[in-house]
Amino acid sequence: GGGGKGMKKKTTYYKHYTMVTGLFILSMILGIMIFFGYVQSSVRKNSRQTMMNNVSRQSQHLRTILSIHYQYLNEIAEEMAKEEELFSQINLDTLVTIHNKTDLDRVALIETDGTAHYDTGDVKNVSHRRYFNEAVNGQQTLSDPIESSVDKEVRVVLGVPVLKDGEIAGILGGSYNVTALSHMMFDDLFGGNGYSLITDKDGNVITYDRVYSEQEQEVFSGNIFDYFDNCQIRTAAIQDIKTDFAAGEEGIREFRFSAGRKPFYYIAYTPLGMNDWMISYIVPVRAAEASYDFIRDYEIIFIIVFGMLIAAMVLFIVYKNRQEKARLLKRAQRDALTGLYNKKTTQDLIERSLEEGEAESCNGLLIMDVDYFKQVNDTYGHIVGDKVLKTFGHLLARQFREHDIAGRIGGDEFLVLIPGITENLFQSMIRSMLVDMAKSSVHLALGSVWVDDCTGKVEKSLSEADARMYEDKRAYYAKNRQLDRRRH
């Protein structure tokens, strides 16, 4: 009873141990997932901030470039105003010099009636242009984008009024290639991945960069919002972009150009601060986060190592559990004193072996008990008796093969089944065993049966062996009584 309780206690302990270990592993995995989630969130946050910083810097850069050109044009306008005749040959020749020495493509000196004199010598009327009307009213102006029919480049006209004696005597203007400026702005960002755009607040594309296909060409030469509306993109995100554009607000959003397994993109945008233009970068999320790839590499290495450690831990736990279960099973099957099988296990194994054996199989069956064992216990005590049984059990275990079934089925009674043995070998084994036992001063009462057909004869064979053992015991006792009478 105590052994059974101990085994149950051990089994319960290992169940609790396995459960606690499993909870620990799950907690570790959950903690790592939360940590990786936090790292990924930080990566995305920093990538978004980097994009916003870049687009803001480029907006400032573009404003600075335009401001430098405005300052240069204003300085030239002041010099031209010093000439007695504004449209003198000297001033017209200056237009050629400006063209040759600056990034301005075309330069013109415009009369107040809209007649424009170009550095090429061409003359035409621009009075219908918005930039002319703003400049003639004393404003520093920037024209709407104009796409050249020759090179498909987009240009804008920068115009400044020319003041002579406090009056507007003319306008000095120069066209600037914003397409080339867009190329320059985007060349060193995100490895050239993605697109840069300059649009108005309604999404009409003024200029763009990094377009590689006819489909993209169509998208970025029109209205970006029209394209978004035709794609399966989250309505809320696109509506937020439209709202920001209309209000001239900066921001960054995430979207896909189309449905399916397409990459995610960031679009970062900020107002230029001139007209109602917006500068936007559209970059794949993967490219925007490329500088943090080393973190992902470390995460992968960590996950692999962690997974291997967890797998090793689980295998170790499984191995230890199996080892412990095997130990507990062996303990439940074995007699604690002798190390042989206990009574129930011995009977079950012998019955199974005899019943499952082939009809013609040969088996040796032995039943033994230690003679005068009760007297040993009564005379020397149970400690000595236990030592006798333990010694006998060890001697018995050495006599038989690994697959033979040997067990203690009572206080001093033992049962052995030797399967697959011939009768001659069986008898020889019995004689050898009796010799060894005699050397150890232990006498056995032994009943043996050799069975060449055990099918359906389990109980009969056991009864026959038991009867022979008691015959041997009675004969031994009778012999000892005769010896005692002779001594007296």
Side-chain angles (χ1 to χ4, degrees):
K5 289 180 180 178
M7 185 177 71
K8 288 180 181 178
K9 188 175 180 181
K10 279 283 186 182
T11 303
T12 302
Y13 168 78
Y14 275 96
K15 282 183 179 178
H16 290 166
Y17 174 77
T18 302
M19 183 176 69
V20 170
T21 304
L23 288 175
F24 170 75
I25 293 172
L26 289 176
S27 300
M28 286 290 293
I29 293 173
L30 180 61
I32 290 171
M33 289 176 64
I34 293 173
F35 173 74
F36 283 167
Y38 175 78
V39 170
Q40 183 60 29
S41 176
S42 297
V43 167
R44 305 206 89 167
K45 180 180 178 181
N46 291 337
S47 298
R48 285 168 166 257
Q49 189 59 51
T50 299
M51 280 198 65
M52 285 307 305
N53 291 342
N54 283 331
V55 75
S56 295
R57 279 199 299 268
Q58 294 301 351
S59 176
Q60 179 62 41
H61 181 56
L62 181 53
R63 285 198 299 272
T64 300
I65 290 175
L66 294 178
S67 295
I68 291 172
H69 283 85
Y70 276 125
Q71 182 179 355
Y72 178 72
L73 289 175
N74 279 315
E75 290 175 356
I76 297 298
E78 288 180 7
E79 293 298 320
M80 286 183 170
K82 294 176 182 179
E83 292 291 326
E84 183 176 347
E85 182 64 37
L86 180 60
F87 293 91
S88 65
Q89 190 60 44
I90 293 176
N91 283 347
L92 294 177
D93 290 341
T94 301
L95 298 179
V96 179
T97 303
I98 295 172
H99 169 71
N100 292 335
K101 292 186 177 182
T102 67
D103 293 333
L104 298 173
D105 290 342
R106 294 272 77 85
V107 186
L109 189 57
I110 307 170
E111 298 181 32
T112 54
D113 63 357
T115 303
H117 302 266
Y118 288 91
D119 60 283
T120 57
D122 296 337
V123 178
K124 67 178 182 177
N125 191 282
V126 294
S127 59
H128 60 287
R129 299 289 188 182
R130 178 183 60 80
Y131 71 85
F132 167 77
N133 291 304
E134 290 178 353
V136 82
N137 288 318
Q139 299 177 37
Q140 186 171 275
T141 185
L142 183 68
S143 76
D144 294 325
I146 304 168
E147 184 178 49
S148 170
S149 59
V150 178
D151 57 14
K152 301 300 180 182
E153 299 284 281
V154 177
R155 292 175 174 81
V156 291
V157 176
L158 289 70
V160 298
V162 180
L163 300 177
K164 193 173 179 64
D165 300 327
E167 298 290 333
I168 297 176
I171 300 162
L172 178 62
S175 65
Y176 190 79
N177 189 332
V178 291
T179 299
L181 180 61
S182 177
H183 295 339
M184 179 184 69
M185 287 193 303
F186 200 70
D187 273 342
D188 60 344
L189 296 177
F190 309 112
N193 292 294
Y195 320 95
S196 66
L197 302 110
I198 299 176
T199 67
D200 62 20
K201 65 179 182 179
D202 297 320
N204 296 312
V205 178
I206 295 169
T207 184
Y208 53 87
D209 188 25
R210 295 293 188 274
V211 173
Y212 303 106
S213 69
E214 291 184 5
Q215 181 184 4
E216 293 171 332
Q217 178 83 20
E218 182 180 350
V219 171
F220 291 107
S221 60
N223 185 291
I224 191 66
F225 293 145
D226 290 344
Y227 181 73
F228 286 162
D229 289 339
N230 293 328
C231 294
Q232 297 180 28
I233 305 173
R234 290 175 304 178
T235 306
I238 301 307
Q239 188 56 48
D240 289 341
I241 298 172
K242 290 181 179 179
T243 300
D244 289 344
F245 270 52
E249 300 282 345
E250 68 176 16
I252 183 169
R253 306 289 175 183
E254 186 177 327
F255 69 98
R256 282 177 174 171
F257 270 128
S258 58
R261 298 177 62 84
K262 298 291 184 181
F264 279 96
Y265 284 82
Y266 285 132
I267 176 170
Y269 46 86
T270 191
L272 177 60
M274 294 181 177
N275 295 351
D276 57 357
W277 292 4
M278 301 288 290
I279 293 182
S280 303
Y281 282 172
I282 300 177
V283 179
V285 171
R286 192 74 181 82
E289 298 176 359
S291 59
Y292 298 96
D293 281 350
F294 71 95
I295 295 179
R296 291 191 180 91
D297 294 340
Y298 289 157
E299 287 178 349
I300 292 171
I301 293 172
F302 179 83
I303 288 172
I304 292 173
V305 173
F306 180 76
M308 293 173 64
L309 291 175
I310 291 296
M313 181 184 295
V314 170
L315 290 174
F316 177 76
I317 292 171
V318 170
Y319 168 74
K320 293 300 290 184
N321 279 346
R322 288 183 176 177
Q323 192 178 53
E324 182 62 20
K325 286 180 180 177
R327 189 184 70 81
L328 292 173
L329 180 61
K330 182 177 180 180
R331 182 176 175 181
Q333 292 177 335
R334 297 286 175 172
D335 174 61
L337 184 62
T338 63
L340 303 175
Y341 288 118
N342 58 28
K343 180 179 180 179
K344 185 178 185 309
T345 304
T346 302
Q347 290 175 339
D348 290 345
L349 291 175
I350 288 176
E351 287 179 6
R352 190 183 310 156
S353 179
L354 293 176
E355 289 174 356
E356 293 178 357
E358 297 180 2
E360 296 78 16
S361 62
C362 301
N363 301 273
L365 189 64
L366 299 174
I367 293 182
M368 299 164 280
D369 74 0
V370 180
D371 285 323
Y372 296 113
F373 182 71
K374 186 175 183 304
Q375 287 87 334
V376 172
N377 272 340
D378 293 342
T379 305
Y380 301 105
H382 289 283
I383 295 177
V384 174
D386 287 348
K387 287 184 178 179
V388 171
L389 292 177
K390 189 174 183 179
T391 301
F392 176 68
H394 292 167
L395 291 172
L396 198 62
R398 290 199 296 269
Q399 292 293 322
F400 301 102
R401 301 165 299 181
E402 185 177 351
H403 63 277
D404 294 339
I405 301 169
R408 181 186 177 197
I409 60 174
D412 62 344
E413 192 171 359
F414 299 84
L415 181 62
V416 180
L417 177 71
I418 308 169
I421 190 170
T422 64
E423 185 174 12
N424 291 335
L425 185 59
F426 178 52
Q427 297 300 331
S428 175
M429 180 179 289
I430 292 173
R431 287 193 295 272
S432 174
M433 183 183 66
L434 291 173
V435 171
D436 287 345
M437 294 303 173
K439 292 178 182 177
S440 63
S441 302
V442 175
H443 185 271
L444 296 176
L446 185 148
S448 63
V449 176
W450 184 77
V451 188
D452 60 355
D453 181 4
C454 291
T455 306
K457 297 182 178 180
V458 176
E459 295 296 333
K460 182 178 179 182
S461 299
L462 289 172
S463 298
E464 186 178 346
D466 193 56
R468 290 182 180 180
M469 179 189 72
Y470 279 103
E471 287 177 8
D472 185 56
K473 183 181 287 286
R474 285 192 293 270
Y476 178 70
Y477 285 163
K479 181 180 179 182
N480 280 353
R481 281 195 295 271
Q482 290 177 2
L483 290 174
D484 288 341
R485 282 196 294 270
R486 288 174 184 174
R487 291 193 190 100
H488 294 294

PDB file of all heavy atoms in Angstrom, residues 170-197:
ATOM      1  N   GLY A 170       8.988  96.471 -65.298  1.00  0.00           N
ATOM      2  CA  GLY A 170       9.030  95.225 -66.039  1.00  0.00           C
ATOM      3  C   GLY A 170       9.146  94.037 -65.085  1.00  0.00           C
ATOM      4  O   GLY A 170       9.084  94.184 -63.856  1.00  0.00           O
ATOM      5  N   ILE A 171       9.323  92.865 -65.649  1.00  0.00           N
ATOM      6  CA  ILE A 171       9.436  91.634 -64.862  1.00  0.00           C
ATOM      7  C   ILE A 171      10.608  90.822 -65.389  1.00  0.00           C
ATOM      8  O   ILE A 171      10.779  90.680 -66.606  1.00  0.00           O
ATOM      9  CB  ILE A 171       8.145  90.790 -64.961  1.00  0.00           C
ATOM     10  CG1 ILE A 171       6.939  91.583 -64.439  1.00  0.00           C
ATOM     11  CG2 ILE A 171       8.284  89.481 -64.187  1.00  0.00           C
ATOM     12  CD1 ILE A 171       5.622  91.021 -64.899  1.00  0.00           C
ATOM     13  N   LEU A 172      11.435  90.330 -64.452  1.00  0.00           N
ATOM     14  CA  LEU A 172      12.532  89.446 -64.815  1.00  0.00           C
ATOM     15  C   LEU A 172      12.137  88.025 -64.404  1.00  0.00           C
ATOM     16  O   LEU A 172      11.792  87.766 -63.256  1.00  0.00           O
ATOM     17  CB  LEU A 172      13.821  89.850 -64.102  1.00  0.00           C
ATOM     18  CG  LEU A 172      15.051  88.957 -64.373  1.00  0.00           C
ATOM     19  CD1 LEU A 172      15.424  88.999 -65.859  1.00  0.00           C
ATOM     20  CD2 LEU A 172      16.233  89.413 -63.513  1.00  0.00           C
ATOM     21  N   GLY A 173      12.123  87.102 -65.372  1.00  0.00           N
ATOM     22  CA  GLY A 173      11.704  85.732 -65.075  1.00  0.00           C
ATOM     23  C   GLY A 173      12.670  84.709 -65.635  1.00  0.00           C
ATOM     24  O   GLY A 173      13.390  84.971 -66.611  1.00  0.00           O
ATOM     25  N   GLY A 174      12.680  83.547 -64.992  1.00  0.00           N
ATOM     26  CA  GLY A 174      13.511  82.447 -65.456  1.00  0.00           C
ATOM     27  C   GLY A 174      12.808  81.120 -65.216  1.00  0.00           C
ATOM     28  O   GLY A 174      12.144  80.945 -64.193  1.00  0.00           O
ATOM     29  N   SER A 175      12.932  80.212 -66.156  1.00  0.00           N
ATOM     30  CA  SER A 175      12.286  78.901 -65.987  1.00  0.00           C
ATOM     31  C   SER A 175      13.265  77.929 -65.334  1.00  0.00           C
ATOM     32  O   SER A 175      14.465  77.938 -65.629  1.00  0.00           O
ATOM     33  CB  SER A 175      11.821  78.349 -67.337  1.00  0.00           C
ATOM     34  OG  SER A 175      12.928  78.088 -68.179  1.00  0.00           O
ATOM     35  N   TYR A 176      12.707  77.108 -64.430  1.00  0.00           N
ATOM     36  CA  TYR A 176      13.532  76.183 -63.658  1.00  0.00           C
ATOM     37  C   TYR A 176      12.991  74.766 -63.831  1.00  0.00           C
ATOM     38  O   TYR A 176      11.778  74.541 -63.756  1.00  0.00           O
ATOM     39  CB  TYR A 176      13.526  76.582 -62.182  1.00  0.00           C
ATOM     40  CG  TYR A 176      14.542  75.839 -61.349  1.00  0.00           C
ATOM     41  CD1 TYR A 176      15.884  76.220 -61.367  1.00  0.00           C
ATOM     42  CD2 TYR A 176      14.174  74.759 -60.560  1.00  0.00           C
ATOM     43  CE1 TYR A 176      16.822  75.535 -60.618  1.00  0.00           C
ATOM     44  CE2 TYR A 176      15.094  74.072 -59.811  1.00  0.00           C
ATOM     45  CZ  TYR A 176      16.435  74.463 -59.847  1.00  0.00           C
ATOM     46  OH  TYR A 176      17.363  73.778 -59.112  1.00  0.00           O
ATOM     47  N   ASN A 177      13.882  73.803 -64.031  1.00  0.00           N
ATOM     48  CA  ASN A 177      13.513  72.410 -64.274  1.00  0.00           C
ATOM     49  C   ASN A 177      13.288  71.697 -62.931  1.00  0.00           C
ATOM     50  O   ASN A 177      14.215  71.243 -62.278  1.00  0.00           O
ATOM     51  CB  ASN A 177      14.620  71.715 -65.070  1.00  0.00           C
ATOM     52  CG  ASN A 177      14.203  70.331 -65.545  1.00  0.00           C
ATOM     53  OD1 ASN A 177      13.379  69.666 -64.932  1.00  0.00           O
ATOM     54  ND2 ASN A 177      14.797  69.891 -66.644  1.00  0.00           N
ATOM     55  N   VAL A 178      12.004  71.554 -62.526  1.00  0.00           N
ATOM     56  CA  VAL A 178      11.721  70.899 -61.241  1.00  0.00           C
ATOM     57  C   VAL A 178      11.838  69.375 -61.353  1.00  0.00           C
ATOM     58  O   VAL A 178      12.011  68.679 -60.361  1.00  0.00           O
ATOM     59  CB  VAL A 178      10.322  71.269 -60.713  1.00  0.00           C
ATOM     60  CG1 VAL A 178      10.274  72.720 -60.285  1.00  0.00           C
ATOM     61  CG2 VAL A 178       9.246  70.969 -61.728  1.00  0.00           C
ATOM     62  N   THR A 179      11.735  68.824 -62.558  1.00  0.00           N
ATOM     63  CA  THR A 179      11.941  67.379 -62.728  1.00  0.00           C
ATOM     64  C   THR A 179      13.372  67.010 -62.371  1.00  0.00           C
ATOM     65  O   THR A 179      13.618  66.040 -61.644  1.00  0.00           O
ATOM     66  CB  THR A 179      11.629  66.943 -64.167  1.00  0.00           C
ATOM     67  OG1 THR A 179      10.268  67.235 -64.462  1.00  0.00           O
ATOM     68  CG2 THR A 179      11.864  65.444 -64.342  1.00  0.00           C
ATOM     69  N   ALA A 180      14.332  67.779 -62.870  1.00  0.00           N
ATOM     70  CA  ALA A 180      15.736  67.544 -62.530  1.00  0.00           C
ATOM     71  C   ALA A 180      15.968  67.732 -61.040  1.00  0.00           C
ATOM     72  O   ALA A 180      16.729  66.988 -60.407  1.00  0.00           O
ATOM     73  CB  ALA A 180      16.637  68.481 -63.326  1.00  0.00           C
ATOM     74  N   LEU A 181      15.253  68.714 -60.468  1.00  0.00           N
ATOM     75  CA  LEU A 181      15.387  68.950 -59.034  1.00  0.00           C
ATOM     76  C   LEU A 181      14.846  67.770 -58.246  1.00  0.00           C
ATOM     77  O   LEU A 181      15.427  67.341 -57.246  1.00  0.00           O
ATOM     78  CB  LEU A 181      14.624  70.227 -58.645  1.00  0.00           C
ATOM     79  CG  LEU A 181      14.664  70.616 -57.171  1.00  0.00           C
ATOM     80  CD1 LEU A 181      16.098  70.879 -56.739  1.00  0.00           C
ATOM     81  CD2 LEU A 181      13.800  71.835 -56.912  1.00  0.00           C
ATOM     82  N   SER A 182      13.749  67.180 -58.712  1.00  0.00           N
ATOM     83  CA  SER A 182      13.175  66.009 -58.054  1.00  0.00           C
ATOM     84  C   SER A 182      14.152  64.834 -58.109  1.00  0.00           C
ATOM     85  O   SER A 182      14.319  64.112 -57.124  1.00  0.00           O
ATOM     86  CB  SER A 182      11.851  65.626 -58.732  1.00  0.00           C
ATOM     87  OG  SER A 182      11.317  64.456 -58.168  1.00  0.00           O
ATOM     88  N   HIS A 183      14.798  64.633 -59.260  1.00  0.00           N
ATOM     89  CA  HIS A 183      15.804  63.572 -59.377  1.00  0.00           C
ATOM     90  C   HIS A 183      16.915  63.780 -58.343  1.00  0.00           C
ATOM     91  O   HIS A 183      17.331  62.844 -57.657  1.00  0.00           O
ATOM     92  CB  HIS A 183      16.422  63.559 -60.773  1.00  0.00           C
ATOM     93  CG  HIS A 183      15.444  63.214 -61.859  1.00  0.00           C
ATOM     94  ND1 HIS A 183      14.281  62.541 -61.629  1.00  0.00           N
ATOM     95  CD2 HIS A 183      15.483  63.453 -63.199  1.00  0.00           C
ATOM     96  CE1 HIS A 183      13.632  62.375 -62.765  1.00  0.00           C
ATOM     97  NE2 HIS A 183      14.345  62.931 -63.734  1.00  0.00           N
ATOM     98  N   MET A 184      17.356  65.009 -58.261  1.00  0.00           N
ATOM     99  CA  MET A 184      18.470  65.318 -57.370  1.00  0.00           C
ATOM    100  C   MET A 184      18.087  65.065 -55.913  1.00  0.00           C
ATOM    101  O   MET A 184      18.873  64.545 -55.124  1.00  0.00           O
ATOM    102  CB  MET A 184      18.888  66.775 -57.556  1.00  0.00           C
ATOM    103  CG  MET A 184      20.036  67.221 -56.655  1.00  0.00           C
ATOM    104  SD  MET A 184      20.383  68.964 -56.849  1.00  0.00           S
ATOM    105  CE  MET A 184      18.902  69.685 -56.124  1.00  0.00           C
ATOM    106  N   MET A 185      16.855  65.397 -55.572  1.00  0.00           N
ATOM    107  CA  MET A 185      16.415  65.241 -54.193  1.00  0.00           C
ATOM    108  C   MET A 185      16.361  63.781 -53.770  1.00  0.00           C
ATOM    109  O   MET A 185      16.629  63.442 -52.637  1.00  0.00           O
ATOM    110  CB  MET A 185      15.017  65.858 -54.005  1.00  0.00           C
ATOM    111  CG  MET A 185      14.992  67.375 -54.008  1.00  0.00           C
ATOM    112  SD  MET A 185      13.399  67.960 -53.407  1.00  0.00           S
ATOM    113  CE  MET A 185      12.283  67.161 -54.536  1.00  0.00           C
ATOM    114  N   PHE A 186      15.992  62.892 -54.686  1.00  0.00           N
ATOM    115  CA  PHE A 186      15.695  61.520 -54.308  1.00  0.00           C
ATOM    116  C   PHE A 186      16.865  60.560 -54.494  1.00  0.00           C
ATOM    117  O   PHE A 186      16.811  59.433 -54.028  1.00  0.00           O
ATOM    118  CB  PHE A 186      14.493  61.023 -55.123  1.00  0.00           C
ATOM    119  CG  PHE A 186      13.818  59.839 -54.521  1.00  0.00           C
ATOM    120  CD1 PHE A 186      13.086  59.961 -53.349  1.00  0.00           C
ATOM    121  CD2 PHE A 186      13.897  58.592 -55.111  1.00  0.00           C
ATOM    122  CE1 PHE A 186      12.444  58.876 -52.786  1.00  0.00           C
ATOM    123  CE2 PHE A 186      13.261  57.493 -54.551  1.00  0.00           C
ATOM    124  CZ  PHE A 186      12.532  57.641 -53.387  1.00  0.00           C
ATOM    125  N   ASP A 187      17.911  61.006 -55.159  1.00  0.00           N
ATOM    126  CA  ASP A 187      19.002  60.099 -55.535  1.00  0.00           C
ATOM    127  C   ASP A 187      19.630  59.379 -54.349  1.00  0.00           C
ATOM    128  O   ASP A 187      19.991  58.205 -54.431  1.00  0.00           O
ATOM    129  CB  ASP A 187      20.099  60.864 -56.293  1.00  0.00           C
ATOM    130  CG  ASP A 187      19.799  60.911 -57.777  1.00  0.00           C
ATOM    131  OD1 ASP A 187      18.975  60.099 -58.223  1.00  0.00           O
ATOM    132  OD2 ASP A 187      20.361  61.763 -58.468  1.00  0.00           O
ATOM    133  N   ASP A 188      19.788  60.051 -53.220  1.00  0.00           N
ATOM    134  CA  ASP A 188      20.546  59.469 -52.113  1.00  0.00           C
ATOM    135  C   ASP A 188      19.660  58.917 -50.999  1.00  0.00           C
ATOM    136  O   ASP A 188      20.130  58.665 -49.903  1.00  0.00           O
ATOM    137  CB  ASP A 188      21.491  60.533 -51.531  1.00  0.00           C
ATOM    138  CG  ASP A 188      20.732  61.752 -51.013  1.00  0.00           C
ATOM    139  OD1 ASP A 188      19.555  61.901 -51.382  1.00  0.00           O
ATOM    140  OD2 ASP A 188      21.319  62.531 -50.248  1.00  0.00           O
ATOM    141  N   LEU A 189      18.379  58.717 -51.271  1.00  0.00           N
ATOM    142  CA  LEU A 189      17.462  58.270 -50.218  1.00  0.00           C
ATOM    143  C   LEU A 189      16.959  56.855 -50.468  1.00  0.00           C
ATOM    144  O   LEU A 189      16.558  56.523 -51.583  1.00  0.00           O
ATOM    145  CB  LEU A 189      16.262  59.220 -50.117  1.00  0.00           C
ATOM    146  CG  LEU A 189      16.585  60.662 -49.684  1.00  0.00           C
ATOM    147  CD1 LEU A 189      15.330  61.488 -49.714  1.00  0.00           C
ATOM    148  CD2 LEU A 189      17.205  60.682 -48.300  1.00  0.00           C
ATOM    149  N   PHE A 190      16.992  56.010 -49.434  1.00  0.00           N
ATOM    150  CA  PHE A 190      16.389  54.668 -49.433  1.00  0.00           C
ATOM    151  C   PHE A 190      16.879  53.807 -50.591  1.00  0.00           C
ATOM    152  O   PHE A 190      16.135  53.005 -51.139  1.00  0.00           O
ATOM    153  CB  PHE A 190      14.863  54.779 -49.473  1.00  0.00           C
ATOM    154  CG  PHE A 190      14.298  55.682 -48.434  1.00  0.00           C
ATOM    155  CD1 PHE A 190      13.697  56.881 -48.768  1.00  0.00           C
ATOM    156  CD2 PHE A 190      14.398  55.345 -47.090  1.00  0.00           C
ATOM    157  CE1 PHE A 190      13.190  57.720 -47.800  1.00  0.00           C
ATOM    158  CE2 PHE A 190      13.888  56.185 -46.118  1.00  0.00           C
ATOM    159  CZ  PHE A 190      13.287  57.376 -46.470  1.00  0.00           C
ATOM    160  N   GLY A 191      18.144  54.007 -50.973  1.00  0.00           N
ATOM    161  CA  GLY A 191      18.721  53.192 -52.032  1.00  0.00           C
ATOM    162  C   GLY A 191      18.028  53.349 -53.369  1.00  0.00           C
ATOM    163  O   GLY A 191      18.094  52.483 -54.231  1.00  0.00           O
ATOM    164  N   GLY A 192      17.347  54.480 -53.584  1.00  0.00           N
ATOM    165  CA  GLY A 192      16.642  54.714 -54.847  1.00  0.00           C
ATOM    166  C   GLY A 192      15.345  53.945 -54.965  1.00  0.00           C
ATOM    167  O   GLY A 192      14.744  53.917 -56.035  1.00  0.00           O
ATOM    168  N   ASN A 193      14.878  53.325 -53.890  1.00  0.00           N
ATOM    169  CA  ASN A 193      13.618  52.594 -53.927  1.00  0.00           C
ATOM    170  C   ASN A 193      12.449  53.548 -53.704  1.00  0.00           C
ATOM    171  O   ASN A 193      12.507  54.419 -52.858  1.00  0.00           O
ATOM    172  CB  ASN A 193      13.581  51.515 -52.831  1.00  0.00           C
ATOM    173  CG  ASN A 193      14.571  50.402 -53.086  1.00  0.00           C
ATOM    174  OD1 ASN A 193      14.445  49.661 -54.046  1.00  0.00           O
ATOM    175  ND2 ASN A 193      15.572  50.305 -52.230  1.00  0.00           N
ATOM    176  N   GLY A 194      11.383  53.311 -54.457  1.00  0.00           N
ATOM    177  CA  GLY A 194      10.189  54.118 -54.246  1.00  0.00           C
ATOM    178  C   GLY A 194      10.097  55.273 -55.220  1.00  0.00           C
ATOM    179  O   GLY A 194      10.741  55.295 -56.276  1.00  0.00           O
ATOM    180  N   TYR A 195       9.308  56.279 -54.860  1.00  0.00           N
ATOM    181  CA  TYR A 195       9.012  57.396 -55.758  1.00  0.00           C
ATOM    182  C   TYR A 195       9.021  58.690 -54.969  1.00  0.00           C
ATOM    183  O   TYR A 195       8.683  58.720 -53.783  1.00  0.00           O
ATOM    184  CB  TYR A 195       7.625  57.231 -56.392  1.00  0.00           C
ATOM    185  CG  TYR A 195       7.290  55.830 -56.805  1.00  0.00           C
ATOM    186  CD1 TYR A 195       6.569  54.992 -55.969  1.00  0.00           C
ATOM    187  CD2 TYR A 195       7.713  55.326 -58.041  1.00  0.00           C
ATOM    188  CE1 TYR A 195       6.262  53.695 -56.332  1.00  0.00           C
ATOM    189  CE2 TYR A 195       7.412  54.026 -58.415  1.00  0.00           C
ATOM    190  CZ  TYR A 195       6.686  53.214 -57.560  1.00  0.00           C
ATOM    191  OH  TYR A 195       6.390  51.933 -57.931  1.00  0.00           O
ATOM    192  N   SER A 196       9.398  59.770 -55.655  1.00  0.00           N
ATOM    193  CA  SER A 196       9.236  61.103 -55.091  1.00  0.00           C
ATOM    194  C   SER A 196       8.286  61.872 -56.002  1.00  0.00           C
ATOM    195  O   SER A 196       8.341  61.734 -57.223  1.00  0.00           O
ATOM    196  CB  SER A 196      10.576  61.840 -54.990  1.00  0.00           C
ATOM    197  OG  SER A 196      11.094  62.108 -56.281  1.00  0.00           O
ATOM    198  N   LEU A 197       7.406  62.652 -55.406  1.00  0.00           N
ATOM    199  CA  LEU A 197       6.423  63.390 -56.185  1.00  0.00           C
ATOM    200  C   LEU A 197       6.297  64.808 -55.653  1.00  0.00           C
ATOM    201  O   LEU A 197       6.450  65.053 -54.454  1.00  0.00           O
ATOM    202  CB  LEU A 197       5.033  62.741 -56.103  1.00  0.00           C
ATOM    203  CG  LEU A 197       4.867  61.303 -56.532  1.00  0.00           C
ATOM    204  CD1 LEU A 197       4.586  60.447 -55.309  1.00  0.00           C
ATOM    205  CD2 LEU A 197       3.719  61.189 -57.512  1.00  0.00           C
TER     206      LEU A 197
END
